[in-house]
Amino acid sequence: MTSLAIKLAKEREVLEGLGSNGKAIKYLKQDFEELRRQCLKSGTLFKDEEFPACPSALGYRDLGPYSPKTQGIIWKRPSELVPNPQFIVGGATRTDIRQGALGDCWLLAAIASLTLDQEILDRVVPKDQSFQKDYAGIFHFQIWQYGEWVDVVVDDRLPTKNGQLLFLHSEEGNEFWSALLEKAYAKLNGSYEALTGGSTIEGFEDFTGGIAESYDLRKAPSNLYQIIQKALRSGSLLGCSIDIASAAETEAITRLKLVKGHAYSVTGAEEVNYRGQPVKLLRIRNPWGEVEWTGAWSDNAPEWNYIDPKEKNALDKQADDGEFWMSLADFQRQFTRLEICNLTPDTLTSNHLHKWGMTLFNGHWRRGSTAGGCQNYPATYWTNPQFKISLDEPDDDHEGSASEPSCTVLIGLMQKNRRRQKRMGEALLSIGYSIYQVPKELENQTDVHLNRDFFSTNRSVARSDTYVNLREVSNRFHLPRGEYLVVPSTFEPFKDGEFCLRVFSEKKAKAQEIGDTVAANPYEPHVEGKDVDNEFKNLFEKLSGEDCEMTANELQTILNRVITKRTDIKSDGFNLNTCREMISLLDNHGTGSLGVAEFKILWMKIQRYLEIYKKVDTDHSGTIDAHEMRDALKEAGFTLNNKVQHTIAARYACSKLTIDFDGFLACMIRLETLFKMFQMLDKEKRGTVQLSLAEWLCCALV
């Protein structure tokens, strides 16, 4: 109950703008300004109790407390390492990023690209901090996480060995912004070890809130160089890497000094005149710094002798240590993947850059309700979350024909918090999504999930690449105008996970979650005392005793006696609380018991719910599967969104994700009670109610 209340409160804060570029969320509720003020007032240096300088912050396995790799590590503040520590010297540059004893080159490549754009850098690394003015051992950074900007506070105690920083460090040795940013990112993900292994795209997106695209360089488009130039001009971040065939190849160095399985960043693109012919060159950066390409156009390669000395000097000045030039042709031969992070309206304030329109949805895959798996599992696939996109306005320079103009959309599906869960043994899920064109007859329908029949008769018109265990899958699509349904899923069903789905469009597009409506129209038989036949009256009098009033205990006895005689449905028996709720639902006189007419209504309701239960139990097992509850609820007149479906599955399904009849009936009665209660309180029919604490407690305790 408490976690649900926290989630509801958070949703309201998001609606008020919390988590946007200009209003970052204070991570773990730590307020940088307030904490620094307290430390300055007390004359003490900040110690972060939320991410303490202890073994747990380092890691859990390879960097765990008993690992040989963590022996001899001492946490020190910069002032204990150098006489005059600096936060940033002469501006943040790519030479400030030197990899240490941590396999997070993917993150370092992203940080290096970050230094190429001052506006993005200032967003991530706020200027209001130094080791001189108002120094209190506390620093903060702003990082994008799953649709929200968060402000992360850290103290400046850093892990060292033999008097040297263990992880990320600057070339100068007395500059610490990059090491502290790495620590903030480690805090956000639970530990330094959680940062081991990853894709540069992940870092790109977390520093910009942008959306990334990936290109297989073996199948690169013919205009790749133009794509790279345009991306660099528009402030996009670019990374590249060489795929590995096995773990043994990780960080293996090729004959020409390129590192396999290692993240590089692309930092420039220039064209030179070489022996009378134009040659396209790219500038590449290795976060390690010292290992550089030795092929054509490398630092001392003979090709430089055949171009204009002024051109050579200009390009020499552009390349720092660890950076090198290579031709586009060699780039495509040597590297296998290029990643580009496109910036969003929430990243930059510049008006001359292209800005995508964006809609973001947060969702869950939950066992028994919305974890339907891919199309290979038709019985459950339709239960996955569903989102509708309306594309009404084609691109200005669309790729379609004049009669069939197209709209560009970029769709990214990102699974949340998996890196933090690594210490619990949780790996990335294999994820993907499919896109379906909505038929004309189903346009404007948003209240109910499209069912299994729809997916059995409609093929997808587009989809993400093969299901893959990456944090995010994203693709660019050119689609004709119309309405489309996006279905995100894991490869296998019954896999719990959180995700965010981002829809970017060149022109404004409408997007909404399907089935976000909550409504009820349950079966309501109308029975007066005169409508009850004598046979039923006689039976009721026999069962209820002399007072002719049915109590909860008597109802429990009757229902359990009836249910044990049936072999077509399974039940553990009705508990007393469920029987009390049944009586409360129909007890119009406040007696705590039912008269004959009220009992007749209840009995008719039970018969109706039994019919629905048996209809949905298609395999005649005597129970229904949790994902079949959608059909049962629809039959019973309830329209519920995914959040309520999650709650029902968690409350009423057993560990095998099945629901027996007593649980099913308890759920239906509970829903009827809650809807009835809400409708009574919502006197003005506004869809909201306001309660005092005492009123809320009375409702919750019913």
Side-chain angles (χ1 to χ4, degrees):
M1 183 69 78
T2 304
S3 63
L4 179 61
I6 291 170
K7 287 179 182 177
L8 289 171
K10 186 175 180 182
E11 285 173 11
R12 289 181 181 175
E13 289 175 340
V14 169
L15 290 174
E16 295 167 1
L18 190 65
S20 64
N21 189 312
K23 197 175 180 182
I25 293 169
K26 293 174 175 58
Y27 186 61
L28 301 178
K29 298 183 179 179
Q30 291 179 296
D31 187 316
F32 169 74
E33 296 290 351
E34 177 61 23
L35 290 169
R36 181 168 67 174
R37 187 190 63 77
Q38 290 174 5
C39 289
L40 291 171
K41 185 177 179 180
S42 62
T44 58
L45 294 180
F46 178 63
K47 289 186 177 181
D48 187 3
E49 299 302 326
E50 297 290 352
F51 195 60
C54 66
S56 65
L58 294 172
Y60 44 89
R61 190 174 53 240
D62 292 345
L63 292 177
Y66 305 106
S67 168
K69 294 181 180 179
T70 59
Q71 304 310 305
I73 289 177
I74 301 172
W75 295 79
K76 291 186 176 182
R77 297 188 189 268
S79 58
E80 299 174 89
L81 295 170
V82 295
N84 184 29
Q86 300 291 319
F87 187 62
I88 293 180
V89 177
T93 63
R94 300 184 300 282
T95 58
D96 297 341
I97 295 100
R98 289 285 181 267
Q99 189 171 1
L102 189 63
D104 62 347
C105 60
W106 61 273
L107 176 63
L108 275 53
I111 295 175
S113 292
L114 191 65
T115 64
L116 299 175
D117 192 299
Q118 191 62 44
E119 187 179 355
I120 299 176
L121 182 71
D122 291 344
R123 180 74 183 80
V124 175
V125 186
K127 293 179 176 180
D128 58 344
Q129 43 196 343
S130 78
F131 285 95
Q132 286 75 41
K133 183 183 177 183
D134 292 334
Y135 169 69
I138 183 172
F139 294 86
H140 71 133
F141 302 87
Q142 297 199 345
I143 300 170
W144 183 90
Q145 286 285 280
Y146 316 118
E148 299 174 333
W149 285 95
V150 292
D151 191 89
V152 185
V153 167
V154 291
D155 64 32
D156 62 350
R157 294 177 294 176
L158 296 165
T160 70
K161 211 170 204 180
N162 302 320
Q164 301 292 320
L165 286 180
L166 186 63
F167 302 133
L168 196 162
H169 54 280
S170 71
E171 190 176 61
E172 288 81 4
N174 68 331
E175 193 171 8
F176 292 93
W177 74 268
S178 57
L180 292 166
L181 173 56
E182 182 187 46
K183 181 175 183 179
Y185 204 78
K187 176 178 178 178
L188 201 56
N189 287 282
S191 68
Y192 277 96
E193 187 174 355
L195 306 185
T196 303
S199 164
T200 308
I201 279 180
E202 191 173 338
F204 282 171
E205 293 185 333
D206 287 350
F207 294 139
T208 66
I211 179 98
E213 297 177 84
S214 181
Y215 292 91
D216 182 344
L217 292 174
R218 291 160 296 189
K219 306 171 187 174
S222 58
N223 62 338
L224 180 68
Y225 193 69
Q226 287 72 27
I227 290 172
I228 292 172
Q229 283 185 313
K230 185 178 179 182
L232 288 168
R233 281 197 302 269
S234 64
S236 299
L237 305 183
L238 293 83
C240 57
S241 59
I242 303 170
D243 289 348
I244 58 174
S246 66
E249 285 191 301
T250 303
E251 296 190 347
I253 300 175
T254 69
R255 180 176 58 84
L256 295 171
K257 300 297 183 191
L258 293 177
V259 186
K260 292 185 176 183
H262 186 64
Y264 291 78
S265 41
V266 180
T267 60
E270 299 286 349
E271 196 168 292
V272 297
N273 191 318
Y274 173 67
R275 290 181 167 177
Q277 296 292 324
V279 176
K280 295 177 174 64
L281 298 181
L282 295 176
R283 188 177 65 217
I284 315 295
R285 173 164 178 76
N286 178 1
W288 282 357
E290 64 273 7
V291 181
E292 287 191 19
W293 160 252
T294 58
W297 300 101
S298 58
D299 287 359
N300 299 309
E303 287 80 9
W304 294 108
N305 299 324
Y306 297 95
I307 70 166
D308 187 304
K310 290 182 180 178
E311 278 190 304
K312 179 181 185 299
N313 289 336
L315 296 182
D316 275 347
K317 288 177 182 176
Q318 289 181 31
D320 297 306
D321 183 37
E323 282 186 316
F324 52 85
W325 293 95
M326 67 192 308
S327 70
L328 175 68
D330 277 336
F331 175 74
Q332 289 187 240
R333 275 193 293 267
Q334 300 293 330
F335 288 93
T336 49
R337 190 160 302 281
L338 171 69
E339 295 162 335
I340 300 176
C341 183
N342 302 286
L343 304 183
T344 70
D346 199 37
T347 306
L348 299 173
T349 57
S350 173
N351 290 321
H352 73 272
L353 297 177
H354 172 73
K355 294 183 179 180
W356 294 81
M358 187 195 79
T359 305
L360 180 141
F361 299 99
N362 287 296
H364 294 80
W365 294 297
R366 289 276 172 82
R367 293 176 73 246
S369 60
T370 54
C374 70
Q375 295 97 320
N376 296 349
Y377 304 91
T380 55
Y381 177 70
W382 70 278
T383 65
N384 282 301
Q386 300 173 7
F387 303 88
K388 182 183 279 190
I389 310 171
S390 298
L391 302 176
D392 302 320
E393 195 176 349
D395 305 340
D396 292 330
D397 54 349
H398 64 79
E399 297 187 6
S401 64
S403 60
E404 188 81 23
S406 67
C407 310
T408 297
V409 288
L410 234 172
I411 298 177
L413 172 64
M414 181 183 293
Q415 50 188 317
K416 298 167 67 171
N417 303 316
R418 305 304 288 194
R419 189 174 288 280
R420 173 172 279 277
Q421 292 164 356
K422 282 169 73 172
R423 71 164 62 231
M424 280 84 81
E426 295 286 347
L428 285 166
L429 299 167
S430 289
I431 60 171
Y433 57 83
S434 293
I435 303 172
Y436 300 83
Q437 186 146 22
V438 178
K440 291 289 183 186
E441 64 271 18
L442 292 177
E443 287 184 358
N444 303 317
Q445 178 182 314
T446 58
D447 57 340
V448 182
H449 254 58
L450 294 183
N451 59 23
R452 181 175 177 176
D453 291 341
F454 172 84
F455 295 103
S456 65
T457 55
N458 290 271
R459 295 175 62 86
S460 61
V461 295
R463 53 174 296 173
S464 58
D465 296 330
T466 307
Y467 279 79
V468 63
N469 57 340
L470 293 175
R471 184 176 81 153
E472 183 178 51
V473 293
S474 64
N475 291 86
R476 184 187 294 245
F477 302 98
H478 302 286
L479 300 170
R481 287 181 293 184
E483 287 194 355
Y484 295 89
L485 190 74
V486 182
V487 181
S489 73
T490 57
F491 180 74
E492 295 178 315
F494 313 125
K495 297 289 185 182
D496 286 327
E498 290 182 84
F499 67 84
C500 64
L501 181 76
R502 295 187 289 166
V503 179
F504 293 76
S505 54
E506 286 205 3
K507 291 297 183 73
K508 192 170 182 180
K510 299 172 189 170
Q512 63 189 118
E513 184 172 0
I514 294 290
D516 204 28
T517 303
V518 177
N521 184 27
Y523 173 57
E524 293 290 0
H526 183 72
V527 177
E528 299 285 350
K530 63 181 186 307
D531 299 327
V532 182
D533 60 77
N534 290 330
E535 186 179 349
F536 191 89
K537 281 183 181 177
N538 292 335
L539 178 63
F540 177 77
E541 290 171 4
K542 182 179 178 182
L543 296 171
S544 61
E546 293 181 2
D547 60 356
C548 288
E549 288 287 324
M550 181 76 67
T551 65
N553 293 84
E554 290 166 339
L555 180 59
Q556 181 186 29
T557 301
I558 294 164
L559 291 178
N560 287 336
R561 190 182 300 165
V562 171
I563 214 75
T564 54
K565 293 178 181 178
R566 300 193 68 117
T567 58
D568 55 341
I569 54 176
K570 292 183 179 176
S571 172
D572 293 328
F574 290 90
N575 63 48
L576 194 57
N577 283 337
T578 299
C579 294
R580 284 175 178 152
E581 191 152 355
M582 290 181 191
I583 288 175
S584 177
L585 175 65
L586 297 167
D587 177 18
N588 296 321
H589 303 98
T591 61
S593 58
L594 299 181
V596 64
E598 294 163 334
F599 180 68
K600 177 71 173 180
I601 294 172
L602 175 61
W603 195 252
M604 292 173 73
K605 281 181 175 288
I606 292 172
Q607 291 294 112
R608 172 64 179 145
Y609 287 133
L610 180 59
E611 288 173 14
I612 294 171
Y613 186 83
K614 293 192 66 178
K615 180 180 178 180
V616 174
D617 178 20
T618 52
D619 61 358
H620 308 293
S621 62
T623 62
I624 62 173
D625 295 329
H627 66 265
E628 293 174 330
M629 276 294 280
R630 283 188 186 274
D631 286 330
L633 288 161
K634 186 178 178 182
E635 286 278 341
F638 294 104
T639 301
L640 305 176
N641 64 17
N642 283 337
K643 291 175 184 173
V644 182
Q645 298 279 358
H646 295 332
T647 305
I648 287 173
R651 172 67 180 82
Y652 293 100
C654 69
S655 59
K656 295 180 180 178
L657 297 180
T658 60
I659 301 172
D660 56 16
F661 183 65
D662 58 281
F664 173 75
L665 186 57
C667 176
M668 296 297 123
I669 296 297
R670 183 67 174 152
L671 283 171
E672 281 201 46
T673 302
L674 292 172
F675 272 102
K676 184 178 179 181
M677 193 183 301
F678 187 90
Q679 287 159 3
M680 290 172 63
L681 294 168
D682 183 20
K683 294 181 175 63
E684 297 178 15
K685 308 302 177 190
R686 294 182 302 176
T688 58
V689 294
Q690 189 170 353
L691 302 175
S692 68
L693 178 58
E695 288 170 330
W696 160 248
L697 290 173
C698 288
C699 291
L701 289 169
V702 167

